[in-house]
Amino acid sequence: ARGEAAAAGPGAPQFPFPYTPYLIQEQFMAALYGALEAGRVGIFESPTGTGKSLSLICGALAWLRDFEQKKREEEARLLAVEESGQEGKECPSLAGPAHPESQGTAGEPDWVTAFVQKKEERDLVDRLKEEQIRRKKREDRLEKIRHNVQLKYVAKRKRAEEDETKRLLQLSKEVLSEGAGDALEQLDDNEEELILAEYESDEEKKVVSGLEEDDDDLEEEHVTKIYYCSRTHSQLSQFVREVQKSPFGKDTRLVSLGSRQNLCVNEEVRRLGALQLINDRCMEMQKNKHEKKSDEENEGKKRRVSRTICPFYSYEQMQFLRDEVLVEVKDIEQLVALGRETKACPYYGSRYAISAAQLVVLPYQMLLHEPTRNAAGIKLKDQVVIIDEAHNLIDTITCIYSAEVSGSQLCCAHSQLLQYMERYRKRLKAKNLMYIKQILYLLERFVAMLGGNVNQNPSCQAVSQTGTVLKSINDFLFQSQIDNINLFKVMQMLSSLFGFVERYGSPASAVKSNKENQKLSGLQNFLLTLQQGADKEGEFSPAVEAENDQVRTASPLMQIEGFLSALTNANQDGRVILNRQGTVGQSSLKFLLLNPAVHFAKVVEECRAVIIAGGTMQPVADFREQLLSCAGVDPARVVEFSCGHVIPPENILPIILCSGPSNQQLEFTYLTRDLPQMMDETGRILCNLCNVVPGGVVCFFPSYEYEKQVYAHWEKTGLLTRLAAKKKIFQEPKKANQVEQVLVEYAKCIKRCSQAGGQMTGALLLSVVGGKMSEGINFSDDLGRCVIMVGMPYPNIKSPELQEKMTWLDKKMPRATGQAPSRVLIENLCMKAVNQSIGRAIRHQKDFASILLLDHRYARPAVFNKLPQWIRERTQVKPAFGAAFAELRKFHRGKLDALFCGPGNGL
């Protein structure tokens, strides 16, 4: 489609668009532009299927284009003024504005004031000139790469030469090891390292022709940019593809950031699978590289054991990758392919591109978690942040900053650290020894809080008092007798120990030293002795062996550091949960963040503007009160925008059903939902619906357990057989890796039935609210002609975490509309989940579907008003089943007739 420019009126901003936008898209872009220009915090809602991504892209990038243009014009004006000032600078002090009074406000003569003003202006001009030079240099470099294919060939040829050299080195090594006996093996190792070290230091000095030697632009200042974050990598990739298709796709400098798990191209590291192990191994290889350099400086002083370094972690290759990324928009998959081709690390290479990028696309955690943000080199000062799919933003921040550590992890870490300390006690510096003893003490006290002894097998220690206890941070610190320990210093020490003791009994992993412990050597052998001597450790060793699988998937020290970090939150903002189950190994300590606003406050304070966007943001009161108000955002700075749907009103039929076919009132509370008559009534409703609804029917239950219970009941009563005669029945699997397969089979079945005709009219998918299928999966067209919500999915009110959050809200929040804040929270959590699920069926302008809410409580005004506006406006409340069924039959028959007898579809 030809690009169109949308504008709201004369003098209004122009929004280039790949096709003629809907009116609601124009309104969305205009509101977004206004919010960014005014530096607001915006809550933007645009239902799925209304082209939200494109509206965000074209609205935000149009603002950035205009902002950059204005900035350039202002720069040019200032530089022009400065130049004209240079020409006529007879008397610089008089060139400034005339001051009527002879003395400044602080008592200085006016020539001093003028001089200071002039100096500030000169400094600004100098800064602008530097910025211009840097920008010109970057633009020239990218232009050269864009048009000079030869540069790519030079880089490619150089990589081929490197591969050949490495192959020859490998061959030499093999020949040497075959020809020489064991006596020469150690020498061979050292020789190999010397050759590689020499080769690598050359590689570091050389620069691909076309890249300048003094290329210092890794230090480039951060240009004004937009940080766009979403929940999953697939959502981010989809967004990048939309950018590529948009009118801004050709000239936007975009960089995608991700985790090592998604971006690592070193197969040896990728094979480790678990994110924690990949992170650990990557950091280890980097330390090896940095130590190698310091080793080269002290060459000849001692023999060293050869250590693995990552061949992709090369400054020069990553520079090349950075420029390739900035020249053309690439998603994560394309970035990884480029990393493999250029033999450069996409994880670090993409970070080098952040400063010059205009649009940075990244996952939630990377932006919202401050330590991760800082480590990635993300600077939010005066930048724009857009958080998409933000309906669960509060929960996301709570999860990111909450931390849990199990009894078995605490005991395992204690065992590793104790053995490490005993082995190297004489070589450790006194200060380090002190901190290690403090960590051991902490671990001992934490296990004691769970009712165990750190020196015994956690799997064999039964807990006498099971249950869950909540404590304030201060109470926990006092009761565990660690309130006099500086947790910040202990955490620093812990992170420097990650390389030493994190993998018990894994001899292949090289363990490294930090700067204060550089004399340590032979740690690999020490790990071997740990593994071989495990049985000599007496009663504890089986525990470690038993937990070995768990330990391998995550470093216990890292988990413990996360928990200690959480304990440094303010006392009122969190709680510590002692979860005592069966054995000490199964028990855990968990930190629960009650006030996510404290961590969001920094984002809102530093950024020029923040946009929180989603398909379903209702109810928005949560965002305003729990997040923005608590983060200290001035209510006047907050702007809300919500648009309707693009589908015509007659394409959607939402019904609140108050009773079933046998006049049984529908009320699925914890007390009534298990009654056989309630489960029977639900089955009868579905049987009737499957007779009139074509294609796919998606039925949402409040939990996996209830779905299983109902399914078993229907199986017993024979109702399932009646249902299966009309629709093939599918159940949502609990395991994430099975979801795709079930969806493929479900879609195939619907397609087969629509083509074959006959008695079987499609498929019925039994899903769960908050499960894999209630978010991020589209049931468009025939995949979801009817969505049913069984009952109201209230959260488990007996959960200690939820009870604590409710108590906290009642203390902190003002009582609005006569309802306690805790009651509002419960209702909002329920309706957020409902809105997410029922929005799955309508995905584009010509789609149609019916929505059935099975519970008379949906008709209550407080609940009804929390439905999305575009659904609420069209919802009918039906007290009896007969009238609702007639309406549904009429709706679906009418749609079928329109499909078959519409223009071009004549039979």
Side-chain angles (χ1 to χ4, degrees):
R2 193 171 53 80
E4 304 277 344
Q14 296 288 311
F15 300 110
F17 217 73
Y19 52 82
T20 306
Y22 303 129
L23 175 63
I24 58 172
Q25 286 178 313
E26 289 182 8
Q27 291 165 344
F28 185 105
M29 290 187 288
L32 176 64
Y33 190 103
L36 299 182
E37 186 63 25
R40 298 293 192 87
V41 175
I43 302 172
F44 277 64
E45 180 180 54
S46 178
T48 313
T50 55
K52 169 169 60 81
S53 296
L54 259 180
S55 303
L56 279 170
I57 290 162
C58 296
L61 290 177
W63 171 82
L64 187 62
R65 172 204 62 197
D66 293 353
F67 176 83
E68 286 176 349
Q69 180 60 33
K70 277 185 224 159
K71 196 176 173 189
R72 274 196 293 271
E73 285 168 7
E74 181 62 14
E75 276 176 20
R77 190 187 64 76
L78 281 166
L79 292 171
V81 166
E82 198 257 353
E83 275 168 29
S84 60
Q86 292 283 331
E87 285 162 23
K89 61 172 185 184
E90 302 291 314
C91 177
S93 60
L94 299 175
H99 293 274
E101 68 276 350
S102 61
Q103 294 246 318
T105 49
E108 301 107 337
D110 51 2
W111 66 266
V112 173
T113 313
F115 177 77
V116 170
Q117 267 184 336
K118 269 289 171 203
K119 187 176 182 321
E120 282 172 4
E121 281 170 27
R122 272 199 307 277
D123 288 348
L124 175 65
V125 167
D126 289 345
R127 223 172 27 250
L128 290 177
K129 281 180 179 171
E130 271 177 43
E131 219 172 276
Q132 268 192 343
I133 292 165
R134 252 198 237 107
R135 187 167 64 226
K136 180 86 174 72
K137 193 173 165 185
R138 182 186 66 228
E139 284 168 2
D140 290 349
R141 192 181 69 239
L142 296 183
E143 199 57 33
K144 198 188 281 186
I145 289 174
R146 198 174 273 119
H147 298 295
N148 188 358
V149 186
Q150 189 192 349
L151 196 65
K152 292 185 185 180
Y153 286 127
V154 170
K156 219 168 192 173
R157 193 175 67 240
K158 184 174 180 299
R159 286 193 300 276
E161 285 168 9
E162 285 167 10
D163 287 347
E164 183 61 17
T165 314
K166 281 179 187 168
R167 195 177 66 79
L168 289 171
L169 280 170
Q170 185 61 32
L171 276 173
S172 313
K173 178 188 163 189
E174 283 165 16
V175 169
L176 276 169
S177 60
E178 281 169 24
D182 290 342
L184 279 178
E185 208 159 308
Q186 182 59 44
L187 174 67
D188 174 40
D189 262 354
N190 282 332
E191 274 182 2
E192 180 204 352
E193 193 184 19
L194 282 174
I195 295 163
L196 279 175
E198 197 172 276
Y199 166 58
E200 197 165 308
S201 57
D202 279 350
E203 173 201 287
E204 296 289 5
K205 285 170 197 161
K206 280 186 202 159
V207 179
V208 177
S209 80
L211 295 178
E212 294 178 25
E213 286 248 5
D214 63 340
D215 208 359
D216 62 344
D217 42 32
L218 289 190
E219 301 306 314
E220 191 170 357
E221 254 181 73
H222 283 239
V223 301
T224 300
K225 63 178 90 304
I226 294 161
Y227 286 101
Y228 170 90
C229 58
S230 192
R231 225 162 38 92
T232 64
H233 280 289
S234 59
Q235 284 168 339
L236 293 172
S237 286
Q238 202 177 330
F239 179 81
V240 174
R241 285 194 288 275
E242 292 279 353
V243 175
Q244 287 169 329
K245 288 188 288 186
S246 80
F248 295 92
K250 288 277 181 282
D251 52 7
T252 297
R253 298 190 303 278
L254 178 147
V255 58
S256 295
L257 303 179
S259 65
R260 286 183 178 91
Q261 203 168 23
N262 289 89
L263 288 176
C264 178
V265 288
N266 185 330
E267 285 309 317
E268 180 210 325
V269 178
R270 279 177 75 87
R271 273 199 298 271
L272 294 169
L275 176 62
Q276 197 59 69
L277 294 182
I278 291 173
N279 284 344
D280 296 346
R281 185 75 180 121
C282 176
M283 297 301 286
E284 190 177 289
M285 285 175 149
Q286 271 185 71
K287 277 187 189 173
N288 288 347
K289 179 148 189 148
H290 295 141
E291 281 175 14
K292 197 161 201 169
K293 284 184 189 167
S294 62
D295 283 343
E296 280 161 17
E297 288 158 18
N298 306 322
E299 203 176 334
K301 287 188 184 174
K302 60 178 182 188
R303 284 189 165 187
R304 300 174 319 280
V305 178
S306 177
R307 290 178 181 145
T308 314
I309 59 161
C310 183
F312 297 92
Y313 190 72
S314 149
Y315 172 79
E316 173 210 323
Q317 285 157 217
M318 290 190 292
Q319 261 191 321
F320 187 79
L321 179 113
R322 172 205 62 187
D323 291 342
E324 282 286 327
V325 163
L326 293 172
V327 161
E328 191 181 18
V329 171
K330 291 174 179 63
D331 65 18
I332 291 277
E333 288 74 23
Q334 291 166 322
L335 183 58
V336 168
L338 178 68
R340 287 202 176 101
E341 187 200 327
T342 56
K343 291 210 163 13
C345 173
Y347 179 74
Y348 286 103
S350 57
R351 289 176 173 205
Y352 286 145
I354 294 174
S355 56
Q358 294 163 306
L359 180 56
V360 179
V361 176
L362 69 169
Y364 272 1
Q365 288 79 350
M366 219 170 206
L367 184 112
L368 296 170
H369 188 240
E370 194 180 352
T372 310
R373 191 164 72 225
N374 295 339
I378 293 165
K379 294 177 181 170
L380 295 182
K381 189 84 182 107
D382 297 329
Q383 307 293 17
V384 169
V385 163
I386 297 175
I387 302 170
D388 201 1
E389 301 300 328
H391 52 272
N392 55 3
L393 180 60
I394 294 171
D395 294 342
T396 302
I397 299 171
T398 304
C399 288
I400 288 173
Y401 283 96
S402 294
E404 187 166 17
V405 60
S406 70
S408 59
Q409 285 173 322
L410 292 166
C411 290
C412 175
H414 187 275
S415 167
Q416 292 175 350
L417 204 49
L418 187 65
Q419 291 171 68
Y420 170 77
M421 185 186 78
E422 293 302 330
R423 178 85 168 85
Y424 290 103
R425 184 186 284 274
K426 289 183 179 141
R427 297 197 190 187
L428 287 167
K429 299 257 178 92
K431 202 174 185 183
N432 282 357
L433 197 59
M434 179 192 81
Y435 282 125
I436 289 173
K437 283 182 175 175
Q438 280 194 341
I439 297 166
L440 287 168
Y441 173 72
L442 281 174
L443 297 172
E444 196 181 304
R445 294 309 308 151
F446 287 164
V447 173
M449 288 296 279
L450 292 173
N453 181 337
V454 81
N455 296 313
Q456 291 172 10
N457 184 340
S459 306
C460 301
Q461 293 183 68
V463 173
S464 53
Q465 290 179 309
T466 56
T468 305
V469 182
L470 280 98
K471 297 187 181 297
S472 71
I473 300 173
N474 286 352
D475 285 351
F476 176 77
L477 294 175
F478 284 124
Q479 285 171 30
S480 52
Q481 297 165 13
I482 60 166
D483 51 301
N484 57 343
I485 290 176
N486 184 330
L487 293 180
F488 291 100
K489 286 188 176 171
V490 169
M491 276 155 51
Q492 277 179 327
M493 182 63 189
L494 251 183
S495 56
S496 69
L497 278 167
F498 287 163
F500 297 97
V501 289
E502 60 195 351
R503 277 175 296 219
Y504 186 92
S506 173
S509 61
V511 182
K512 272 158 326 314
S513 51
N514 66 336
K515 283 175 187 168
E516 287 186 275
N517 294 329
Q518 275 183 353
K519 287 183 183 171
L520 297 181
S521 61
L523 288 169
Q524 273 179 303
N525 293 335
F526 168 54
L527 276 177
L528 268 169
T529 62
L530 275 188
Q531 192 183 37
Q532 291 154 359
D535 53 331
K536 295 173 196 164
E537 293 299 321
E539 59 192 344
F540 180 69
S541 82
V544 179
E545 291 304 318
E547 297 295 334
N548 209 24
D549 290 343
Q550 278 182 303
V551 174
R552 280 171 192 272
T553 57
S555 153
L557 288 185
M558 209 162 250
Q559 298 284 102
I560 290 156
E561 192 214 15
F563 181 68
L564 290 177
S565 172
L567 291 179
T568 61
N569 274 283
N571 184 50
Q572 69 272 18
D573 292 332
R575 296 287 178 271
V576 180
I577 302 168
L578 282 70
N579 190 11
R580 299 187 182 114
Q581 302 293 329
T583 67
V584 170
Q586 293 167 326
S587 302
S588 66
L589 295 173
K590 182 179 178 182
F591 173 80
L592 171 70
L593 180 71
L594 294 174
N595 183 12
V598 290
H599 295 289
F600 194 60
K602 201 154 194 181
V603 175
V604 182
E605 279 163 22
E606 289 192 348
C607 289
R608 173 198 174 90
V610 177
I611 304 296
I612 304 167
T616 310
M617 297 299 282
Q618 292 293 336
V620 293
D622 281 5
F623 296 104
R624 270 189 175 276
E625 287 154 25
Q626 280 187 54
L627 207 55
L628 302 178
S629 172
C630 286
V633 179
D634 180 355
R637 193 185 167 197
V638 181
V639 59
E640 274 180 45
F641 175 86
S642 179
C643 61
H645 211 294
V646 289
I647 60 157
E650 63 274 13
N651 276 19
I652 179 175
L653 176 66
I655 289 177
I656 293 170
L657 187 58
C658 301
S659 58
S662 61
N663 289 327
Q664 169 75 47
Q665 189 189 39
L666 300 175
E667 185 174 355
F668 293 84
T669 63
Y670 283 114
L671 296 171
T672 59
R673 69 184 192 183
D674 297 343
L675 298 171
Q677 59 263 40
M678 288 303 285
M679 294 191 272
D680 289 339
E681 200 74 339
T682 308
R684 281 192 282 269
I685 292 168
L686 277 175
C687 276
N688 279 297
L689 282 179
C690 290
N691 284 328
V692 296
V693 178
V697 175
V698 184
C699 181
F700 284 103
F701 288 88
S703 67
Y704 283 103
E705 289 67 34
Y706 188 57
E707 186 266 326
K708 276 200 175 64
Q709 189 184 345
V710 171
Y711 189 89
H713 180 78
W714 289 348
E715 219 167 15
K716 200 169 68 187
T717 59
L719 213 146
L720 204 63
T721 316
R722 279 166 54 202
L723 269 174
K726 276 287 175 193
K727 305 270 186 199
K728 186 169 180 190
I729 299 168
F730 293 86
Q731 286 175 282
E732 176 176 330
K734 243 184 171 178
K735 289 184 178 169
N737 59 358
Q738 296 170 357
V739 170
E740 191 59 38
Q741 187 56 38
V742 172
L743 282 172
V744 167
E745 291 301 321
Y746 171 73
K748 272 187 194 164
C749 174
I750 291 168
K751 195 173 181 184
R752 218 172 29 245
C753 293
S754 73
Q755 288 167 349
Q759 195 189 359
M760 188 75 89
T761 60
L764 168 65
L765 179 60
L766 306 178
S767 297
V768 175
V769 175
K772 310 289 177 295
M773 295 180 183
S774 63
E775 280 189 41
I777 289 173
N778 299 342
F779 294 110
S780 59
D781 301 319
D782 271 356
L783 294 183
R785 287 302 180 204
C786 180
V787 174
I788 301 159
M789 179 65 62
V790 177
M792 296 186 73
Y794 282 111
N796 178 10
I797 206 151
K798 289 179 182 164
S799 140
E801 286 104 320
L802 187 58
Q803 285 185 340
E804 196 60 34
K805 178 87 180 179
M806 289 163 70
T807 310
W808 182 84
L809 280 174
D810 284 342
K811 276 183 194 165
K812 292 275 172 188
M813 295 285 164
R815 195 181 173 92
T817 62
Q819 268 189 312
S822 55
R823 181 72 209 156
V824 175
L825 169 77
I826 296 296
E827 222 151 68
N828 287 353
L829 287 172
C830 168
M831 290 313 290
K832 265 196 170 64
V834 169
N835 294 343
Q836 271 309 303
S837 303
I838 61 178
R840 299 288 103 209
I842 302 287
R843 310 312 278 180
H844 58 85
Q845 194 177 15
K846 292 183 178 161
D847 209 351
F848 66 89
S850 54
I851 294 168
L852 207 56
L853 303 174
L854 306 187
D855 202 306
H856 75 96
R857 292 174 295 170
Y858 281 110
R860 292 176 183 167
V863 175
F864 183 79
N865 289 331
K866 284 173 182 166
L867 286 166
Q869 190 183 343
W870 64 279
I871 291 179
R872 190 171 66 233
E873 285 169 350
R874 306 163 195 192
T875 302
Q876 302 178 24
V877 179
K878 299 286 183 188
F881 180 74
F885 184 69
E887 201 70 46
L888 281 158
R889 188 170 50 195
K890 185 174 132 196
F891 174 80
H892 284 288
R893 283 205 176 148
K895 291 296 163 199
L896 275 178
D897 293 347
L899 272 178
F900 289 112
C901 308
N905 289 320
L907 293 169

